[in-house]
């Protein structure tokens, strides 16, 4: 019998294990055009926290008591579609479960690139595209720029660090703790700030970027965003990808340096990766090439077994991952 | 003997009368290429507050004990330049004084438009250009957009209201008190919010713009900016022109709705009017035409006499002006 995680109660603030419940899924026979997938890899991502609230957003909220959704990679074990064969490895959104039945139109065969399948949930998937297009298209970063990126040890941030270095930029990353900072440095970052250290981020960034920053890639908001405003150069561009600081707390962001927007003509843009889906080929070509060539390093934090999925998800908010957080089924 | 206002002490927080002192200027004979101007109209503008601090900014700080600078319109009374004749009316930056001696290269003959000379310190001057290019170029506002503008009764804001209406937009203005609100309405605004009233701005804006806003033109920051974030539509564009809320207090801005940047792909851009000087001809043609045709209304709050200049300046921060604040010499 297939099983899935469901949301039992809507979290107030930080989610708890008791907000989740495992449910059994009926083993339905396949309808026309459907495929059955044995999931191998499941993704947990910070944006999923937003779907746990019952509010209008860019993705609809999870329904209570039903199987949750999310990125997944699996092997087709049964198919009622001519284009998808048993044995194909596919990417789809029916995650948080061990087996999925979905219309073939909603699955994507993994591109033929020389990388392991779970890379399509990380650097070659949604987090990778987020970092790639956020840096190059939203923030319009170019060779010679000094780039600051928060949560630089995360799935998105570590992609930003490496793409920025590969494209000739100077990179300052922020991460929490000596181990993560060392890993970010090993990815090629020119300087790393430990935001859990004694020095306030605004001071540490001033020391790491004495000539200021041209680009800020924001995954966290709050103190990091304010520090970026404090040190932004003329015509700096900020890509706002996430504000993990406020996803759970709902607290107001305090910005002391916001008025620097004016004199320095700073541009701030929020974005969602799905806006760039039409440019996926360009992304696969450039990133796939860099991954195959070893220019980019891959790092995963893997939890084993469907049972561990809430642990993996909650770990995103307590700094529990280096690189992409995954569950191996 | 010519006289000028100087800064005696750098203000802490809100400036006081005792921060200013009148000084005598030596009546120098004209050097080569210089002109002597009898000033007729002097401008006070919120950005001048920034020049009173001894910090690096987009305009250098005022030097203590020396004549201050600012926009002025006057009549040439003596000239050592072939291009400028006695009797010419000119625009220049040697304001805060009754008579100025400046290089001819730093004065601009008033364009031949059918408007009174002080209009070149208001709608046809720096505040007008700020509103015009901030709305149309920085915020990329277009016909059909719903535009929210704060300080809508000010020199910049009242231009934004009228240009937006002339270009086919829906406009919501915010101003303080019944009298200013009535005036903003008379300029054509579709709805007006009295920010000094009992209803929080975020609630009032929701009622005035039930379908949300596409553009926000920010003159004040703070609560108004947060309200705009709360009600911004998909792909909304914000032009950040001023943050009068923090010029004197230096307090942190508290934003509860900042994370809406992401899902709604909001773009925020700070700007300075001087970036658009190369497009002045386009501005004079369009705005001059609208002013001559009576499409735009002009409003001034006039203080009489050089002695009143600090009063006029301080009035900018206590809501003392409707339309452009001017001093008539």
């Amino acid at each position: 019998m297939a099983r899935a995680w469901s949301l039992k109660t809507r979290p107030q603030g930080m989610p708890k294990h008791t907000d989740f419940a495992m449910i059994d899924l009926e083993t339905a026979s396949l309808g026309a055009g459907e495929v059955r997938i044995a999931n191998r890899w499941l993704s947990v991502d910070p944006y999923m926290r937003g779907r746990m609230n019952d509010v209008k957003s860019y993705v609809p909220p999870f329904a209570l008591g039903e199987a949750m959704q999310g990125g997944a990679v699996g092997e087709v074990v049964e198919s009622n579609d001519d284009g998808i064969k048993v044995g194909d490895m596919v990417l789809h959104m029916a995650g948080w479960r061990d087996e999925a039945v979905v219309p073939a139109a909603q699955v994507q065969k993994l591109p033929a690139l020389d990388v392991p399948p779970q890379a399509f949930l990380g650097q070659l998937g949604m987090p990778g595209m987020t970092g790639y297009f956020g840096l190059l298209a939203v923030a319009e970063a170019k060779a010679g720029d000094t780039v600051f990126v928060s949560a630089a040890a995360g799935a998105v941030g570590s992609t930003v660090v490496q793409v920025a270095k590969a494209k000739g930029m100077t990179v300052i990353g922020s991460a929490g703790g000596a181990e993560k900072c060392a890993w970010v440095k090993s990815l090629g970052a020119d300087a790393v700030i430990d935001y859990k250290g004694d020095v306030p981020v605004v001071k540490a960034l001033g020391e790491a970027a004495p000539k200021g920053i041209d680009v800020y890639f924001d995954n966290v908001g709050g103190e990091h965003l304010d520090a970026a405003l404090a040190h932004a150069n003329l015509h700096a561009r900020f890509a706002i990808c996430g504000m993990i600081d406020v996803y759970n707390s709902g607290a107001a962001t305090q910005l002391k340096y916001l008025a620097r927007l004016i004199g320095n003509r700073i541009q701030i843009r929020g974005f969602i990766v799905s806006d760039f889906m039409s440019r996926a080929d360009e992304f696969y070509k450039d990133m796939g090439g860099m991954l195959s060539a070893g220019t980019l390093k891959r790092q995963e934090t893997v939890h084993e077994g469907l049972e561990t999925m809430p642990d993996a998800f909650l770990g995103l908010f307590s700094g529990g991952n280096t690189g992409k957080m995954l569950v191996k089924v």
Side-chain angles (χ1 to χ4, degrees), chain A residues 7 9-11 15 20 47-55 60-62 64 68 96 313:
Chain A
L7 196 63
T9 45
R10 300 207 179 275
F20 301 90
Y47 82 88
M48 293 170 174
R49 176 64 186 86
R51 297 193 66 184
M52 295 177 184
N53 298 330
D54 190 17
V55 293
F62 292 124
L64 290 181
M68 294 164 68
W96 289 87
F313 176 71

Side-chain angles (χ1 to χ4, degrees), chain A residues 82-307:
Chain A
D82 290 342
I84 305 276
K85 295 189 304 292
V86 170
D88 281 350
M89 291 295 287
V90 294
L91 176 69
H92 62 100
M93 287 302 291
W96 289 87
R97 71 196 78 184
D98 51 13
E99 187 184 286
V101 172
V102 282
Q106 291 174 22
V107 312
Q108 182 194 344
K109 276 200 267 193
L110 298 190
L113 293 169
D114 182 25
V115 294
Q118 70 272 26
F120 293 95
L121 295 174
Q123 273 165 325
L124 286 178
M126 189 270 287
M129 281 188 80
T130 303
Y132 185 87
F133 287 114
L135 180 72
L136 301 178
V138 180
E140 301 170 28
K142 57 190 186 309
D145 279 347
T146 296
V147 175
F148 177 45
V149 52
S150 54
V156 174
S158 62
T159 302
V160 172
V161 169
Q162 296 182 80
V163 172
K165 286 311 300 177
K167 304 282 184 192
M169 305 167 198
T170 298
V171 181
I172 297 146
S174 166
E179 197 176 331
K180 287 190 185 179
C181 286
W183 183 63
V184 173
K185 198 83 170 61
S186 79
L187 297 177
D190 299 274
V192 185
I193 292 170
D194 183 352
Y195 72 87
K196 290 183 176 170
D198 294 331
V199 183
V201 176
V202 65
K203 185 161 182 288
L205 182 58
E207 289 162 3
K211 292 181 179 171
I213 62 167
D214 305 300
V215 165
Y216 175 49
F217 191 105
D218 192 12
N219 289 303
V220 303
E223 185 188 4
H224 281 83
L225 175 57
D226 208 22
L229 286 164
H231 296 290
N233 288 336
L234 191 65
H235 295 128
R237 289 90 58 208
F238 289 15
I240 309 294
C241 167
M243 293 205 172
I244 207 164
D245 271 10
V246 299
Y247 286 176
N248 292 307
S249 74
T253 299
Q254 303 230 7
L255 299 174
K256 285 172 65 177
Y257 299 99
L258 190 61
R260 293 193 81 247
L261 273 179
I262 303 169
N264 286 295
R265 290 81 154 169
I266 300 167
Q267 172 174 286
I268 301 180
R269 283 176 173 163
F271 75 102
I272 301 284
V273 64
S274 52
D275 297 342
F276 295 94
M277 285 305 169
S278 62
R279 294 172 65 178
D281 286 348
E282 165 189 348
F283 165 75
Y284 285 129
K285 188 175 174 202
D286 195 7
M287 285 288 284
M290 289 191 283
L291 269 172
S292 301
T295 313
L296 305 188
K297 291 184 191 177
R298 221 157 37 74
Q299 175 91 354
E300 290 147 9
T301 299
V302 176
H303 289 245
E304 298 263 350
L306 183 64
E307 296 74 14

